[in-house]
Amino acid sequence: MSSVAVLTQESFNEHRSGLVAEQAGDEEAPAYKDAFPPLPEKAASPEGTQEPVNAWTSKIRPLKSSVITQVFHVPLEERKYKDINQFGEGDQAKVCVDIMHKTGAHLELSMAKDQGLSIMVSGKLDAVMKARKEIVSRLQTQASATVAIPKEHHRFVIGKNGEKLQELELKTATKIQIPRPDDPSNHIKISGTKEGLEKAKHEILLISAEQDKRAVERVNIDKVFHPFITGAYNKLVADMMQETGARINVPPPSVNKTEIVITGEKEQVALAVAMIKKIYEGKANSYTVSSVVAPSWLHRFIIGKKGQNLAKITQQMPKVHIEFTEGEDKITLEGPTKDMQMVQSQMEAIVTDLVSRMDYMEISVDPRFHRHLIGKGGANINRIKDLHKVSVRIPPDNEKSHLIRIEGDPQGVQEASKELLELASRMENERTKDLIIEQRFHRAIIGQKGEKIKDVRDKFPEVIINFPDPAAKSDIVQLRGPRNEVEKCSKFMAKMVADMVYLKVFSHKLFLSMIDFPIFKQFHKNIIGKGGANIKKIREETNTRIDLPAENSNSEMIVITGKKENCEVARVRILAIQKELANITEMEVSIPSKLHNSLIGSKGRFVRSIMEECGGVHIHFPTEGSGIDTVTIRGPAEEVEKAKKQLLSLAQDKQTKSHTAELKAKPEYHKFLIGKGGGNIRKVRDSTGARIIFPTPDDEDQELITVVGTEEAVREAQKELTELIKSLDNVVEDVMNVDPKHHRYFVARRGQVLRDIADEYGGVMVSFPRSGANSDKVTLKGAKDCVEAAKKRMLEIIEDLDAQVTMECVIPQKFHRSIMGPKGSRIQGITRDHNVQIKFPERVDGPAKGGPAVQENGEANGEVPVVEEAVAPADPTAPRKCDIIVLSGRKERCEAAVEALKALVPVTTEVEVPFELHRYIIGQKGSGIRKMMDEFEVNIQVPAPELQSDIISITGLANHLDRAKEGLLERVKELTAEQEDRSLRSFKLTITVDPKYHPKIIGRKGAIITNIRTEHDVNIQFPDKNDDNQDQITITGYEHKATAAKDAIQAIVDELEEMISEDITLDARVHARIIGARGKGIRKIMDEFKVDLRFPQPGAADPNQVFVTGRPELVDEAIDHLLNLEEEYMADVNENESKITYMKPAGDRGASSMDEGGRERGSSKGFVVREAPWQTGSEKAPDMSSSEDFPSFGAPVAATNKASPWGPKRF
């Protein structure tokens, strides 16, 4: 038992001040009993006597504990772990430890006599609640039960937004599962403790009993009669609900349900049902429903444009309802019986008429050509629709359908389908190719003022070459045109770039390393990446040049140029891409090194043939002379195995009886010998067993064909090939008649047409007579089959030329440039799409017809230019020559091309836009209007500001104007909405708040005010230092949001006004320790007690005064905590000061001998008391070195009757 002396605040202050020597000398020392009052005796005082009052019995302010304790009991039958022998061990103990770790609460388990489990949980309130939840779920078994109530009562158990169900679960501590609406079950499942189950069942049955007093009736009535029950504007059903008091729910027209639900008191429901049935029975007898058979694709023609056809019928018979169902071949009619017969006969007549004169057709076209068929702005498809008077439905991209549906007049349907198929077949032959050329070479290829690229375009006139925008920093150059021309142009441009690279490298004397290695052709596009992204990244990061073979090339070699170490890094990265994309296997085969050269063959011919036959595997032989026998094969597993067998077989043949033979054939015969897909040559290989190797484009001798195999196999293969070559060498000469007027077509463009025929038909030579010879004899020379095929093709071309006509199209010269489009792209498109030739007239600069004469320097020019005759003909109605565009081609194609040309003539429309919006439409530096002009391909003219006009002019193609006008009006609508929004956002609200609360509203580093601004999307402005109204806070934003922000600020102010502020005296010497390093200690106190602490500034009148602000109860707790801290810290301060006193010399009267007031101190006598036990009688002060007076814990003490100065001993 230990004794504790407690000092009050006042006595402590007196004792602390008693340490000053001067005061100690002036005041009398306190008595021992006053300073250390005795503890009360254990024996209770006799009844009627009053206990003496002393310092220990005085009322001490109770301290509130933040730790609570709760006890939970789990009966034996509900315990999850019932192994009595392992109490305190096993899973139950692990669960308890886990709960303590998870919640921070302390658990103590004990076993009751009935083997139930008592659990005492101690900790903070939230920790105890969490622990309780865990105990119930993990240590207590969960019982379950079901309760059956009518299905229609379930929604009342759930409540609005599930609130009732949540409240019920919380109240009963159970989990309640209600079946879904589509589940026919009416059983509600409850799980939880026994007590909770009973409570939940009781509450659910109470809710059901309350609803049993109400009735629900469902009546099934055909949907066509619902309008008669609801009445106009639902007036009839509203009257019925008012009259009966029941609630009637009729499904809306959009919901395909026939069930009408009536709810309410039983008598009310019965009355409402009777009234509804009466209406239904009255109408059912006078109402008829029938249908007319009509194919679904005819429905829109029956309805007519904007419903005109149906309007004629419904105006006569307004009570009849006509309904079309999508995808069904029938039309439903509903209405009075007397009107139905006439409407049905009219509908049947319309259907019969349409079936007799309408037809439809579906054609299959690859979806990638659909947008080309539609044309820019729908130009192509609209022309076809107007020309053939048909309707064409092209499926949207997301459907990915091949079927295009054409509906209309039978003849028009046939002609439209034919034209669409022709367009599609023409597009199939067109190709787009992306050529990768580093951007640094683009300017050099284009040349000064585009001279170089003009030469390329002249060389390949049918190919459209598009360079990327320099700002895009792209390496992709796009080529588009006929397949063969695109390939030739691609090779030509690749050679141009290679030459530039060669010159650039050697002009700078760069001595770089170069490595090449094979990558499977199918992975080249992945190495290039989308838009060249992958290859560009590798180039930039490794600082190398990487060249891939052309797409149409058979080569798989990738060449890397740069520093040796950089080249190796780039190679590893490219091989890694290949490895990721495919399951590449690498195998090593041992073949004697002396056979390597013979297996490779001249310039790698033998090994290349094996690689091609085995799916393009890569076979790598070691360096010549290295003496290594290992040959590496890399590729897909199956192909590698196949290549291995062929390589070993060839090596074995070479070692035993390999034989090689060579024969020659013209290069143009090679493709005939190989056959389609290698069919011909495969037959020879299979029949003879010999390997036949054709030259590659890189070989010098393009005629040499090599045969490898056994002597007999080679002899047989050579024999068969020789016979085939002889048959091809059997050159014949044939003559055909071609009208001289067509000769120019064949020999134009350096004989391009003839070159194409020669390439296609085995090098057939076609000779036209010399110009001026006036002969129609054309000679064809070549293999017999090839000559016949070429002759047939030329006759087709001549037939096409004979059908050509010349047609004129008059369009004012001022529109010609617009029709041509950028770099003639539009006219090239028409020429290609319609297969016609279009010639524009020479441009004439002169006055327009009927316009004033040209004047120079303000005077009329005396000389009339000769060109005036062309500009102003004698006949004023005749078109000017400079306005006439000449077209040549087949008649129908020329007519279609004329329509396409006229569709390109720009027109102008005007749109009225408020003047104040013009600057927003133009945008910053014209960006807004430029974007619209680019998007809609029109020219938009905004009037000058000084005109103050509201009219904006739009000029462009007719099919673009509507879109541009809609886009402009949409932009006006957006700008108007933005103006209205700005007006709404500029709502201002002021709130008056005492400036002393401003820092609290702003929060630390503006956290609170930023949160309010973000949450309510408003701007909150506090007054400036020099502002007169220092209590005004301004809120700007939407009115409702500004009001909400004001309420949020007011709530903070109200909370601050409820707070109190109390000042306490804390010794200034402990302030620093309470505040802590960088304010860490004070922040912890403020966060824990939710109060604000203000310590005095240096030089304050009272350096010991501290202010505590917060809610009353929290302020009290914080003050108690601070006083406790002061007492603790002051003990350390006093101890340190006493040490300092003893450490200094007695005669030293320096700075340390001065008190806090700057007065000189005498020697301290310490704390002195009067009438102490050791000062009275024979008693002595206790000996601190004595083990009897100050015994150690656990040490034996000798019994003694000696009285102690401290009172009787209790141990």
Side-chain angles (χ1 to χ4, degrees):
M1 190 73 179
S2 60
S3 300
V4 180
V6 178
L7 298 181
T8 63
Q9 183 66 34
E10 294 78 5
S11 64
F12 183 76
N13 288 338
E14 289 174 3
H15 297 165
R16 185 171 59 187
S17 60
L19 295 175
V20 181
E22 285 78 357
Q23 292 176 353
D26 297 337
E27 295 180 9
E28 188 180 2
Y32 178 79
K33 286 186 178 180
D34 294 334
F36 300 102
L39 290 170
E41 293 297 328
K42 283 186 179 178
S45 57
E47 193 174 346
T49 62
Q50 189 174 357
E51 188 178 339
V53 177
N54 56 33
W56 301 110
T57 57
S58 61
K59 187 175 181 181
I60 300 174
R61 179 187 297 170
L63 295 175
K64 296 178 182 176
S65 174
S66 60
V67 176
I68 65 167
T69 301
Q70 288 190 8
V71 179
F72 308 111
H73 185 71
V74 181
L76 175 65
E77 61 272 13
E78 293 183 17
R79 281 180 57 189
K80 188 174 284 188
Y81 304 100
K82 297 182 180 179
D83 192 349
I84 301 170
N85 297 327
Q86 290 188 353
F87 182 74
E89 301 176 9
D91 293 336
Q92 182 171 270
K94 291 177 184 175
V95 169
C96 291
V97 171
D98 187 45
I99 292 172
M100 286 194 287
H101 283 312
K102 190 181 289 185
T103 62
H106 179 71
L107 272 65
E108 291 185 12
L109 277 71
S110 60
M111 189 83 74
K113 288 182 181 179
D114 61 355
Q115 301 302 323
L117 197 64
S118 293
I119 305 167
M120 185 170 71
V121 186
S122 303
K124 292 191 176 180
L125 181 61
D126 58 340
V128 170
M129 291 298 104
K130 287 179 184 176
R132 179 187 180 185
K133 184 179 177 182
E134 291 286 331
I135 289 166
V136 169
S137 63
R138 298 177 65 178
L139 294 180
Q140 195 167 357
T141 56
Q142 300 290 300
S144 62
T146 56
V147 58
I149 63 171
K151 185 79 175 175
E152 54 269 21
H153 295 176
H154 287 191
R155 62 192 181 94
F156 299 102
V157 177
I158 297 170
K160 188 177 181 181
N161 297 326
E163 291 174 359
K164 183 71 177 176
L165 181 62
Q166 290 175 7
E167 182 188 345
L168 199 57
E169 287 182 336
L170 195 63
K171 183 177 177 182
T172 61
T174 56
K175 177 69 178 174
I176 302 171
Q177 294 178 349
I178 297 176
R180 295 175 61 82
D182 52 0
D183 189 345
S185 172
N186 63 350
H187 286 80
I188 296 174
K189 187 177 179 181
I190 311 166
S191 57
T193 60
K194 248 183 197 177
E195 183 184 356
L197 291 179
E198 295 301 325
K199 285 183 182 178
K201 283 175 71 173
H202 176 70
E203 292 291 337
I204 291 169
L205 291 172
L206 278 180
I207 294 169
S208 179
E210 187 179 342
Q211 296 303 321
D212 274 337
K213 298 175 183 177
R214 300 175 61 82
V216 178
E217 188 76 29
R218 290 176 171 82
V219 182
N220 277 314
I221 292 176
D222 290 340
K223 198 158 185 66
V224 295
F225 297 106
H226 286 192
F228 301 109
I229 293 168
T230 57
Y233 304 106
N234 292 320
K235 187 175 183 304
L236 189 57
V237 75
D239 292 343
M240 281 194 285
M241 287 194 288
Q242 189 173 0
E243 183 179 342
T244 61
R247 183 176 177 181
I248 303 170
N249 184 12
V250 181
S254 57
V255 178
N256 192 22
K257 284 187 177 180
T258 60
E259 188 178 73
I260 297 175
V261 181
I262 306 103
T263 57
E265 299 294 335
K266 291 183 179 179
E267 297 80 6
Q268 297 172 344
V269 169
L271 181 59
V273 169
M275 293 174 72
I276 290 170
K277 286 185 176 178
K278 184 178 179 182
I279 295 170
Y280 166 67
E281 289 166 0
K283 291 294 179 183
N285 296 329
S286 61
Y287 202 78
T288 305
V289 179
S290 65
S291 62
V292 175
V293 177
S296 59
W297 65 274
L298 280 178
H299 287 185
R300 60 193 187 88
F301 298 104
I302 295 168
I303 295 168
K305 192 174 183 181
K306 296 182 180 179
Q308 289 176 353
N309 296 347
L310 281 187
K312 295 176 184 176
I313 299 172
T314 53
Q315 283 172 3
Q316 296 174 1
M317 307 290 179
K319 294 183 180 179
V320 176
H321 175 66
I322 304 171
E323 185 177 342
F324 294 82
T325 306
E326 188 176 354
E328 291 188 8
D329 293 338
K330 68 173 184 177
I331 303 167
T332 306
L333 309 176
E334 304 167 355
T337 307
K338 60 180 181 179
D339 297 340
M340 284 292 290
Q341 189 173 359
M342 184 181 296
V343 173
Q344 187 161 1
S345 62
Q346 289 181 3
M347 291 296 293
E348 287 173 349
I350 292 171
V351 172
T352 306
D353 177 54
L354 287 172
V355 168
S356 64
R357 61 185 179 85
M358 297 288 286
D359 195 6
Y360 77 93
M361 180 182 287
E362 290 183 344
I363 60 174
S364 180
V365 176
D366 196 310
R368 60 197 171 99
F369 300 134
H370 288 181
R371 62 189 183 91
H372 300 291
L373 293 179
I374 295 168
K376 198 168 188 179
N380 291 348
I381 204 69
N382 289 336
R383 179 186 57 75
I384 292 171
K385 286 178 181 177
D386 296 340
L387 181 65
H388 302 295
K389 303 291 187 278
V390 293
S391 171
V392 182
R393 184 191 179 275
I394 297 178
D397 293 340
N398 57 354
E399 286 187 16
K400 295 182 180 178
S401 172
H402 288 252
L403 293 179
I404 296 177
R405 188 182 180 93
I406 310 165
E407 300 169 351
D409 178 69
Q411 185 179 352
V413 169
Q414 292 293 334
E415 291 175 355
S417 64
K418 184 180 177 183
E419 185 170 348
L420 285 170
L421 289 171
E422 284 178 2
L423 281 171
S425 64
R426 198 179 307 150
M427 288 170 196
E428 283 179 356
N429 191 41
E430 191 176 84
R431 185 182 175 194
T432 300
K433 181 175 182 179
D434 289 341
L435 197 61
I436 298 176
I437 300 174
E438 288 186 61
Q439 195 182 30
R440 60 193 173 120
F441 294 122
H442 291 186
R443 186 175 294 177
I445 294 170
I446 294 168
Q448 192 173 8
K449 296 183 180 179
E451 291 174 357
K452 288 188 179 179
I453 198 65
K454 185 176 183 297
D455 293 340
V456 178
R457 285 180 173 136
D458 290 342
K459 190 175 180 67
F460 304 100
E462 293 183 87
V463 178
I464 297 171
I465 306 170
N466 290 323
F467 283 85
D469 188 342
K473 298 191 181 301
S474 172
D475 294 340
I476 304 297
V477 178
Q478 192 179 72
L479 309 180
R480 185 161 60 86
R483 190 182 300 272
N484 294 336
E485 290 296 304
V486 166
E487 291 301 329
K488 290 175 184 176
C489 183
S490 171
K491 287 180 181 178
F492 181 81
M493 292 186 71
K495 188 174 183 305
M496 282 179 69
V497 174
D499 292 343
M500 288 178 188
V501 172
Y502 181 85
L503 291 171
K504 193 173 185 69
V505 169
F506 287 95
S507 64
H508 290 82
K509 297 181 180 179
L510 297 176
F511 299 100
L512 305 173
S513 297
M514 181 183 290
I515 62 171
D516 60 343
F517 57 98
I519 291 290
F520 289 106
K521 193 76 177 177
Q522 63 265 35
F523 302 132
H524 283 200
K525 62 180 180 180
N526 303 98
I527 290 165
I528 294 168
K530 190 173 182 181
N534 292 351
I535 199 74
K536 187 176 180 182
K537 185 178 180 183
I538 297 172
R539 282 172 179 161
E540 289 174 354
E541 292 180 0
T542 61
N543 195 23
T544 57
R545 172 178 175 75
I546 303 172
D547 294 312
L548 285 85
E551 192 175 340
N552 60 331
S553 167
N554 293 324
S555 173
E556 295 183 334
M557 302 302 290
I558 293 179
V559 181
I560 304 176
T561 310
K563 289 184 179 180
K564 189 173 182 180
E565 57 273 18
N566 293 349
C567 291
E568 189 58 34
V569 172
R571 187 180 79 87
V572 170
R573 288 184 62 172
I574 291 172
L575 286 172
I577 293 173
Q578 178 183 246
K579 193 171 182 180
E580 285 178 12
L581 293 168
N583 183 20
I584 303 299
T585 304
E586 192 171 287
M587 186 181 289
E588 292 182 349
V589 182
S590 182
I591 296 173
S593 57
K594 63 182 181 181
L595 296 176
H596 288 185
N597 285 340
S598 60
L599 290 176
I600 294 169
S602 177
K603 296 184 180 179
R605 297 173 70 194
F606 292 166
V607 76
R608 191 163 51 244
S609 68
I610 295 174
M611 288 162 64
E612 290 173 0
E613 192 171 332
C614 299
V617 297
H618 298 145
I619 302 174
H620 177 70
F621 285 84
T623 308
E624 188 177 357
S626 64
I628 300 172
D629 295 340
T630 304
V631 178
T632 306
I633 309 171
R634 188 170 70 250
E638 293 180 4
E639 302 298 339
V640 166
E641 192 62 37
K642 186 177 175 184
K644 177 187 173 184
K645 288 179 181 177
Q646 290 200 19
L647 198 60
L648 291 173
S649 174
L650 190 60
Q652 189 176 0
D653 290 345
K654 288 286 181 185
Q655 283 180 312
T656 55
K657 48 186 177 179
S658 176
H659 188 72
T660 303
E662 294 179 349
L663 64 156
K664 292 197 174 187
K666 293 178 181 178
E668 55 265 30
Y669 294 162
H670 289 186
K671 63 179 179 180
F672 289 101
L673 293 173
I674 295 169
K676 190 174 182 181
N680 295 345
I681 208 67
R682 197 178 296 113
K683 286 180 184 176
V684 176
R685 285 178 182 170
D686 294 343
S687 62
T688 63
R691 178 176 296 280
I692 302 160
I693 302 166
F694 285 86
T696 65
D698 299 329
D699 291 340
E700 291 180 7
D701 192 348
Q702 290 291 306
E703 294 186 354
L704 187 66
I705 301 173
T706 306
V707 185
V708 182
T710 63
E711 187 176 354
E712 185 181 351
V714 169
R715 189 169 54 250
E716 288 294 325
Q718 192 175 10
K719 182 181 176 182
E720 288 190 29
L721 286 172
T722 304
E723 289 175 1
L724 284 170
I725 292 167
K726 278 183 181 178
S727 67
L728 289 173
D729 281 337
N730 183 20
V731 176
V732 297
E733 190 172 307
D734 200 357
V735 177
M736 64 181 294
N737 297 326
V738 178
D739 195 312
K741 66 181 179 180
H742 299 315
H743 289 191
R744 182 177 176 81
Y745 176 81
F746 286 97
V747 299
R749 290 181 294 147
R750 299 177 184 177
Q752 180 64 42
V753 175
L754 296 180
R755 284 202 302 274
D756 290 344
I757 291 172
D759 290 343
E760 193 172 352
Y761 300 104
V764 171
M765 294 176 61
V766 183
S767 301
F768 278 79
R770 291 185 179 180
S771 179
N774 198 21
S775 170
D776 62 353
K777 300 286 184 184
V778 176
T779 306
L780 294 88
K781 190 175 182 180
K784 187 177 180 181
D785 293 341
C786 298
V787 167
E788 289 299 323
K791 188 176 177 181
K792 185 179 178 183
R793 173 61 184 146
M794 288 179 68
L795 288 172
E796 288 174 359
I797 293 172
I798 290 165
E799 183 185 355
D800 199 30
L801 292 170
D802 285 335
Q804 283 194 353
V805 297
T806 300
M807 193 174 289
E808 292 181 349
C809 175
V810 179
I811 294 175
Q813 186 185 21
K814 63 181 180 179
F815 298 129
H816 287 187
R817 184 173 293 175
S818 173
I819 290 170
M820 289 180 183
K823 298 178 182 177
S825 58
R826 288 178 181 169
I827 212 67
Q828 287 172 11
I830 294 174
T831 302
R832 185 177 58 254
D833 294 343
H834 301 283
N835 196 16
V836 294
Q837 298 295 321
I838 302 174
K839 184 179 180 182
F840 280 80
E842 294 292 331
R843 186 171 181 82
V844 177
D845 295 325
K849 185 165 61 177
V854 177
Q855 293 188 355
E856 294 181 4
N857 300 325
E859 297 179 0
N861 192 348
E863 296 182 4
V864 179
V866 178
V867 81
E868 277 298 318
E869 293 182 6
V871 178
D875 185 3
T877 60
R880 299 185 304 165
K881 286 184 180 179
C882 61
D883 295 341
I884 298 172
I885 301 171
V886 180
L887 299 89
S888 58
R890 283 183 175 269
K891 185 180 178 182
E892 62 274 12
R893 291 175 181 168
C894 286
E895 289 173 350
V898 168
E899 292 298 322
L901 284 173
K902 288 181 177 177
L904 294 176
V905 176
V907 293
T908 302
T909 187
E910 293 180 342
V911 182
E912 188 172 347
V913 177
F915 174 73
E916 60 270 13
L917 297 180
H918 287 191
R919 63 194 183 97
Y920 299 111
I921 289 170
I922 294 170
Q924 190 174 14
K925 296 182 180 179
S927 59
I929 202 162
R930 274 199 305 274
K931 183 182 176 185
M932 291 179 70
M933 287 164 67
D934 293 341
E935 183 180 353
F936 301 114
E937 299 180 26
V938 294
N939 181 38
I940 302 174
Q941 293 179 336
V942 180
E946 57 268 16
L947 296 178
Q948 298 281 312
S949 173
D950 291 344
I951 303 300
I952 292 179
S953 300
I954 307 174
T955 304
L957 303 183
N959 54 352
H960 294 171
L961 284 184
D962 290 339
R963 287 175 54 244
K965 188 175 179 180
E966 286 176 9
L968 183 59
L969 291 174
E970 186 65 30
R971 179 63 181 148
V972 170
K973 190 176 177 182
E974 289 176 15
L975 290 170
T976 306
E978 285 175 10
Q979 278 189 332
E980 292 174 359
D981 186 66
R982 278 196 295 272
S983 175
L984 291 172
R985 286 181 71 91
S986 60
F987 177 79
K988 282 191 177 181
L989 195 65
T990 57
I991 179 172
T992 303
V993 177
D994 195 319
K996 69 180 181 181
Y997 296 137
H998 289 189
K1000 292 290 183 184
I1001 296 169
I1002 294 170
R1004 191 173 177 214
K1005 294 184 181 179
I1008 296 173
I1009 200 66
T1010 301
N1011 187 39
I1012 295 172
R1013 284 174 177 150
T1014 307
E1015 184 179 350
H1016 300 287
D1017 191 22
V1018 294
N1019 182 32
I1020 303 172
Q1021 203 69 31
F1022 284 83
D1024 294 330
K1025 288 184 179 179
N1026 302 325
D1027 202 334
D1028 295 335
N1029 299 320
Q1030 285 294 310
D1031 58 350
Q1032 296 292 318
I1033 299 176
T1034 306
I1035 307 170
T1036 308
Y1038 293 113
E1039 185 176 356
H1040 65 284
K1041 292 187 175 182
T1043 305
K1046 178 185 175 183
D1047 294 341
I1049 292 172
Q1050 189 61 51
I1052 294 171
V1053 173
D1054 292 343
E1055 187 177 347
L1056 291 171
E1057 287 177 346
E1058 289 178 7
M1059 293 181 178
I1060 63 168
S1061 183
E1062 287 191 15
D1063 61 299
I1064 60 171
T1065 301
L1066 290 180
D1067 195 296
R1069 290 174 291 176
V1070 300
H1071 288 189
R1073 288 193 64 178
I1074 293 173
I1075 293 171
R1078 297 183 181 179
K1080 187 177 180 181
I1082 194 172
R1083 278 200 301 274
K1084 184 179 178 183
I1085 295 169
M1086 288 163 69
D1087 292 340
E1088 184 178 352
F1089 295 97
K1090 302 292 186 289
V1091 294
D1092 183 50
L1093 300 180
R1094 287 289 177 266
F1095 283 80
Q1097 296 293 328
D1102 186 358
N1104 300 325
Q1105 191 175 37
V1106 177
F1107 290 90
V1108 186
T1109 306
R1111 302 184 72 83
E1113 64 275 10
L1114 298 175
V1115 167
D1116 290 341
E1117 291 183 10
I1119 289 173
D1120 289 341
H1121 183 70
L1122 288 170
L1123 290 173
N1124 289 338
L1125 286 177
E1126 182 199 34
E1127 184 177 348
E1128 180 183 342
Y1129 295 158
M1130 279 304 300
D1132 294 341
V1133 170
N1134 291 333
E1135 184 179 350
N1136 290 337
E1137 286 182 353
S1138 63
K1139 284 181 181 178
I1140 292 169
T1141 304
Y1142 286 114
M1143 286 165 62
K1144 289 190 178 293
D1148 187 0
R1149 300 183 62 83
S1152 61
S1153 64
M1154 305 294 288
D1155 65 8
E1156 291 177 2
R1159 294 169 298 183
E1160 194 173 319
R1161 285 201 306 242
S1163 58
S1164 175
K1165 295 181 180 179
F1167 179 58
V1168 180
V1169 292
R1170 294 180 293 105
E1171 302 174 3
W1174 55 85
Q1175 293 174 343
T1176 58
S1178 59
E1179 293 181 358
K1180 294 189 300 182
D1183 184 4
M1184 293 175 64
S1185 62
S1186 170
S1187 61
E1188 186 177 337
D1189 289 341
F1190 293 95
S1192 300
F1193 284 107
V1197 180
T1200 178
N1201 296 325
K1202 183 181 176 181
S1204 170
W1206 307 105
K1209 293 181 180 177
R1210 294 178 170 84
F1211 51 83

